[in-house]
Structure formats: C-alpha cells, structure tokens
Amino acid sequence: MSTLTEIRARSKLRDIFEGQLQHLGLAFLLAMGALSLLTTGDSSARILWLTAPQWATISIVLAIVHQVVVAAVFRLQLHRNLLSRWFGEADLGIWTKIFLPFLIARPITIALTGWADDVSLNEPRWAEWLVGAVMIGLAVWAMHSVLKYFTIKRAVGGDHFRDEIADMPMVNEGAFKVTSNAMYGIAFLGLWGIAIWFDIWNALVVALFQHCYIWVHMYCTEKPDMEWIYGGR
C-alpha cells in the first residue's frame, strides 16, 4: 500500500481525470433516460410549491452535483492534497459538512417526489408495504453498520486525506459480512424502499437512476483511487 505522499510524488496531471470522461458521459445518458421516464399524473398536487416531476428532476440534479463534487474533491485531494493545503487539519471536517447534506438530500427528495405524485405502480398495496419495509430495513441495517463499524470518516473518503485512515483494517462486521461494499450494495436499497412504500412511479425512476449512478461513481472514480491507495499503483 502506498502512502499519500508517495502517490502525490509520482502522479501526473492526467491521473486526476482518469475515468471522468466516462463518468460524465454515463451521467448524461442515465439522466436523459431517467427524465424521459418521468410522467405527470392527473392531479396538480404540489409539495413545497413543486410537482412530483420537478422534485424528481431536483433529486437527479442534486445526485449529479454530489458525485461530480465528490469526484473533483477525491482526485484533487488524492493527487494534489488540495483541501489539506487550503484548510489544514480542518480539511476532513469541512469536507464531511459538505458531503453529508448531499447524501441526506437523496432520500428526502425521493420522499417529496412520492408525496407530490399520484402515478401509481398499480401493484397490491400489501405487497408494496412489505417489500418497501424490507428494503428500508436493510438500508437502516447497512447504515448502522457504516456508523458503527466503518465510520463516517471512512465513508466520506477519509483515506484520501489521512494515511492512518487508509491503514485501518477491512471491515467484516454487520452488513459488511454480506458484501464489502454495503453502502452501495445494500444502503441504496432504501431509496427503492421509499419509492415502493409510496407506490409512486416517478420516485421509483429516481431510485433506479441514483442506484445506477452511484455504481458509475464506484467504477469511474473510487476504483481507480483504491488502486492508487491500496494497490500500490
């Protein structure tokens, strides 16, 4: 495993942009596909002055902004130590305060989409309640595992900031016994659960977009970064 100082000593400018052309291309295609699937119901219901398709669009846009900002910060911190040079020891704390509101906005905007909509999935409600509850329960379990075993500082990309965080052992407790990537593999099921619970098509479209798009982030941004940090590239 390479130290962050060693990585910065040998990385090139082009390494900052590795995978980002694919990231932006896939973000555009996924967003256009999701937006084309949004539908307007018979009612003109609004929550906080916005319709369901408008909330769905906001949710999609916020997810894109979130992941573009994360990609920029991860790469500039990993390869150029940017936030640490700007903010010193406060770097990770400041980044956490930027990161978490974007993350919290994901389920909230899907819920607001559901509240404002009337485009049903047309499935038995008892089944939707059951499936939604199971998915939300799994997501809560995964997030509990993140907080208890993985820690927030690792979840927000602390291994891009501190060698001691990168040196922490792999987690094999809670949801991480099932998959090493419980955040993306299990926690994001909660977005599906919210959409199914509300029995709303547009919310389900947004959940699909967000779950697909987080894996774009994984393969275009995080995977190359982990090869630098843990693979001795």
Side-chain angles (χ1 to χ4, degrees):
M1 185 171 66
S2 301
T3 67
L4 295 174
T5 300
E6 291 170 343
I7 291 169
R8 290 159 189 154
R10 66 176 186 271
S11 68
K12 308 298 182 184
L13 180 62
R14 65 176 180 272
D15 296 320
I16 296 173
F17 301 98
E18 182 181 5
Q20 295 314 299
L21 183 61
Q22 298 95 314
H23 173 189
L24 294 176
L26 288 167
F28 175 79
L29 292 173
L30 285 171
M32 291 301 100
L35 292 172
S36 72
L37 292 173
L38 298 179
T39 60
T40 302
D42 296 329
S43 74
S44 57
R46 292 173 182 265
I47 296 294
L48 299 178
W49 305 284
L50 297 177
T51 65
Q54 288 171 331
W55 276 117
T57 301
I58 287 173
S59 189
I60 290 167
V61 170
L62 284 176
I64 293 173
V65 172
H66 183 197
Q67 289 180 211
V68 169
V69 169
V70 170
V73 169
F74 276 15
R75 291 299 172 78
L76 290 171
Q77 178 62 25
L78 178 63
H79 295 288
R80 294 296 181 267
N81 201 30
L82 185 68
L83 266 70
S84 297
R85 288 193 284 111
W86 281 0
F87 303 114
E89 290 297 316
D91 53 357
L92 188 54
I94 290 171
W95 170 235
T96 301
K97 290 180 175 66
I98 295 170
F99 184 98
L100 290 181
F102 278 110
L103 184 64
I104 294 168
R106 292 176 183 255
I108 290 175
T109 52
I110 289 181
L112 289 168
T113 300
W115 267 320
D117 211 345
D118 64 354
V119 182
S120 173
L121 299 174
N122 295 317
E123 300 296 336
R125 283 301 282 147
W126 67 267
E128 292 172 343
W129 278 99
L130 177 61
V131 173
V134 169
M135 287 186 165
I136 292 171
L138 288 170
V140 170
W141 174 53
M143 289 308 301
H144 174 265
S145 299
V146 170
L147 294 172
K148 183 175 181 179
Y149 304 114
F150 195 73
T151 74
I152 286 293
K153 63 185 178 182
R154 297 179 79 175
V156 302
D159 52 0
H160 292 65
F161 292 77
R162 306 279 191 275
D163 285 321
E164 58 267 29
I165 296 177
D167 290 338
M168 293 172 71
M170 292 290 291
V171 176
N172 189 29
E173 300 288 341
F176 292 91
K177 286 185 178 181
V178 178
T179 172
S180 60
N181 199 337
M183 289 184 293
Y184 298 172
I186 300 178
F188 267 70
L189 293 177
L191 303 180
W192 293 83
I194 293 169
I196 294 170
W197 192 290
F198 275 101
D199 180 39
I200 294 300
W201 168 257
N202 287 328
L204 194 66
V205 169
V206 178
L208 171 62
F209 166 81
Q210 291 208 29
H211 209 167
C212 290
Y213 186 40
I214 197 63
W215 285 106
V216 171
H217 171 74
M218 175 65 202
Y219 287 108
C220 293
T221 301
E222 283 202 30
K223 186 174 183 292
D225 288 3
M226 287 189 290
E227 290 173 355
W228 277 100
I229 298 169
Y230 301 105
R233 182 190 286 191

